[in-house]
Amino acid sequence: SLPASAVSSVNCVPVTCIPSLDGKAWVMSDMEASTIFRVDYDGTQTVMHDAASTGGLLNWPDGMAWDDQGGLYVANLGSDTIIYIDAQGQASIVNDSDFINQPGGVALDGAGNLFVANYETSDVVRIRVDTGEVSVFWGPEVEKLSHPNVIKLSRSGGLITCGRVGKVGRIDALGNLTVIYANADLQELD
């Protein structure tokens, strides 16, 4: 990985942000720069990972999720891949199968399931981190919610996703979606 001093002030155009592991900053993906930044609360921006440091694997990064070992799962919108960057900065492909179609968001649960919101196919897939097995977990049900681009674990169980047309849905443990918010004037929620 790049040293923290590699860039002290850059022009980050964030798409997605998640809290840093130390809780002292935000970690942001910048699609156009194919870069992941750390933005401290004082505004200091440093490059954590970019296309060069990941051996070309970082390509239009969008959603991100940490694992318990300090590694980062990243949805690559530009290459229809999910990559993993370990705590030492080594990147590898988790999945590049036909199940991954313009991935927007990723969420990792405590049971080792990585959920991916696919914008293009309007579905959510589950990847078993230990085996690599991939299956469609939800969708498509475009009459309920289309083009999901964010996915998060719900504190009450299940997953929360949002997409078009201005909808937020909760997906339960069995893969059933219930629309919990809708406002057609919003078009797309991120």
Side-chain angles (χ1 to χ4, degrees), residues 2-178:
L2 298 173
S5 61
V7 177
S8 59
S9 181
V10 293
N11 189 16
C12 176
V13 181
V15 176
T16 300
C17 64
I18 59 174
S20 63
L21 285 175
D22 65 8
K24 297 179 180 178
W26 290 101
V27 174
M28 300 182 181
S29 62
D30 181 336
M31 281 185 182
E32 290 187 29
S34 287
T35 304
I36 296 174
F37 294 88
R38 176 187 168 102
V39 180
D40 291 296
Y41 294 139
D42 67 1
T44 302
Q45 300 176 19
T46 53
V47 173
M48 295 177 63
H49 308 287
D50 62 13
S53 71
T54 60
L57 294 180
L58 201 58
N59 184 358
W60 275 63
D62 197 349
M64 302 172 289
W66 296 109
D67 71 6
D68 291 339
Q69 291 74 43
L72 189 62
Y73 287 94
V74 182
N76 268 329
L77 190 64
S79 57
D80 290 340
T81 60
I82 305 300
I83 68 168
Y84 178 73
I85 305 170
D86 69 20
Q88 292 72 42
Q90 297 298 309
S92 59
I93 293 176
V94 173
N95 195 287
D96 62 354
S97 73
D98 290 341
F99 281 95
I100 308 299
N101 297 289
Q102 292 185 355
V106 292
L108 181 67
D109 72 9
N113 295 302
L114 182 68
F115 296 93
V116 180
N118 282 318
Y119 187 84
E120 177 68 24
T121 51
S122 294
D123 62 15
V124 172
V125 298
R126 175 177 44 202
I127 302 171
R128 289 284 315 149
V129 173
D130 57 351
T131 65
E133 177 186 348
V134 185
S135 60
V136 174
F137 184 69
W138 167 81
E141 292 180 278
V142 294
E143 68 282 358
K144 288 186 176 181
L145 188 143
S146 68
H147 303 293
N149 52 4
V150 173
I151 192 158
K152 302 293 180 192
L153 298 176
S154 169
R155 291 185 181 185
S156 61
L159 300 161
I160 300 292
T161 189
C162 60
R164 292 187 177 176
V165 176
K167 293 181 181 179
V168 177
R170 181 181 177 282
I171 304 171
D172 68 20
L174 300 175
N176 300 307
L177 181 125
T178 302

